[in-house]
Amino acid sequence: LISNGNRKMTTPITEQALPKILLIQAGTPPDELKAKHGDLPLWFSTAMGIDLENIQVVKVFNGEPLPEPDPNRVVVITGSWDMVTDKLMWSEETASWIRAIEADMPMFGVCYGHQLMSYALGGEVDYNPKGREMGCLEVKLTDVGSRDVLTRHTPGRFRAHLTHMQTVTTLPKGAQSLAESDLDKNQIIRYRAKAVSTQFHPEFIPDIAASLISLRKETLLSEGHDPASMTNLLTDAVDARAILQTFISTHVAQELFSKPLSK
């Protein structure tokens, strides 16, 4: 169970000062997950070490409007329970917004957000021909990733929480893969100096991952997976989370953080 606790807000937000972090929420967990772990903004707030009061959440899946570009803010795009290839109206509108602001605002996409960024910027997304990728799995840096400013201090091989069926099948022009896994060659994508995304979930903790595995137990068994083994292999993926934190800390003032970053 994740709790927001009684953390003191470190940077007061006035009516004139919008929160530095803009969280584009692309979906919401099933009720049983939300009842136990809260909604996605809480997951990301906890992972980033930034209080919810310092995050503006826009629920695009509910039709909430996206703000005007602001290069002084940082965009984080969440995962979803929908598919990019369904081309839902809110998703297509968000893709158009990404194309419009990509050169102006620091932007970090996660899972659905990762795929949506790639699609919006000219790449291709489809179901992974290798099948579902789920669990706390090994991700390894590419040669480019070992030199990239964001990941050069990340271990060459690290664990990350994954749960997805669709994937980026073709990178946008000029984009580079910084990391790969056995089932997906595009685990981290660098698009521009201020635009990056991850197929894995840096916001997950083992309890959340375990609940997701339990929720999909019957489907996983029917696909030949071993949910019990997947659960036993769960660990706190600190290196994956640190990538998100490093991106955020590069673009926001240190005093915004309400707790120390992962080492």
Side-chain angles (χ1 to χ4, degrees):
L1 177 67
I2 300 175
S3 173
N4 200 31
N6 296 311
R7 295 177 297 183
K8 184 179 179 181
M9 188 171 70
T10 56
T11 304
I13 299 301
T14 67
E15 290 182 0
Q16 292 75 33
L18 290 169
K20 185 74 174 180
I21 308 297
L22 174 62
L23 186 72
I24 306 303
Q25 186 175 348
T28 192
D31 290 342
E32 52 264 56
L33 261 71
K34 193 185 298 185
K36 185 175 183 181
H37 302 292
D39 204 353
L40 297 190
L42 180 57
W43 302 9
F44 277 89
S45 167
T46 303
M48 292 186 290
I50 295 176
D51 288 320
L52 278 169
E53 293 91 341
N54 288 312
I55 300 172
Q56 180 188 2
V57 179
V58 177
K59 297 183 178 182
V60 290
F61 71 100
N62 274 346
E64 293 183 0
L66 289 156
E68 292 297 317
D70 182 347
N72 295 312
R73 306 179 74 196
V74 179
V75 180
V76 178
I77 308 172
T78 76
S80 180
W81 275 256
D82 291 309
M83 298 293 180
V84 169
T85 56
D86 289 340
K87 297 187 177 182
L88 300 172
M89 182 178 295
W90 63 262
S91 184
E92 291 294 290
E93 290 174 350
T94 305
S96 296
W97 183 83
I98 289 170
R99 283 190 287 273
I101 64 97
E102 175 264 336
D104 297 322
M105 297 179 70
M107 181 164 43
F108 191 105
V110 172
C111 197
Y112 191 94
H114 164 85
Q115 296 166 15
L116 189 62
M117 282 178 65
S118 290
Y119 164 72
L121 300 177
E124 296 180 3
V125 173
D126 206 340
Y127 284 90
N128 190 338
K130 296 182 180 180
R132 183 190 303 272
E133 186 174 40
M134 190 168 188
C136 191
L137 305 173
E138 183 179 82
V139 173
K140 58 183 179 181
L141 297 180
T142 62
D143 289 342
V144 175
S146 67
R147 300 189 301 271
D148 188 86
V149 64
L150 178 64
T151 52
R152 62 189 178 193
H153 298 302
T154 302
R157 295 174 181 268
F158 62 95
R159 310 292 285 191
H161 295 291
L162 286 147
T163 174
H164 68 114
M165 295 182 68
Q166 293 202 333
T167 184
V168 176
T169 55
T170 303
L171 290 172
K173 183 178 180 179
Q176 293 179 301
S177 174
L178 306 186
E180 59 189 11
S181 65
D182 288 343
L183 296 184
D184 196 319
K185 62 182 180 180
N186 297 314
Q187 285 290 339
I188 307 176
I189 299 175
R190 163 75 70 185
Y191 305 92
R192 308 284 189 272
K194 297 187 290 185
V196 178
S197 64
T198 65
Q199 181 59 69
F200 56 81
H201 286 269
E203 81 281 14
F204 277 16
I205 60 171
D207 281 354
I208 292 173
S211 292
L212 283 164
I213 292 170
S214 177
L215 185 66
R216 296 196 174 114
K217 180 180 178 180
E218 296 306 318
T219 299
L220 291 168
L221 287 169
S222 70
E223 294 175 350
H225 298 288
D226 182 352
S229 177
M230 294 168 72
T231 301
N232 290 336
L233 290 173
L234 294 176
T235 187
D236 192 15
V238 294
D239 295 311
R241 183 164 61 247
I243 292 171
L244 170 62
Q245 293 181 340
T246 299
F247 183 88
I248 297 298
S249 65
T250 299
H251 298 286
V252 302
Q254 189 65 32
E255 60 265 23
L256 191 66
F257 292 90
S258 59
K259 62 183 179 181
L261 302 183
S262 297
K263 300 298 184 182

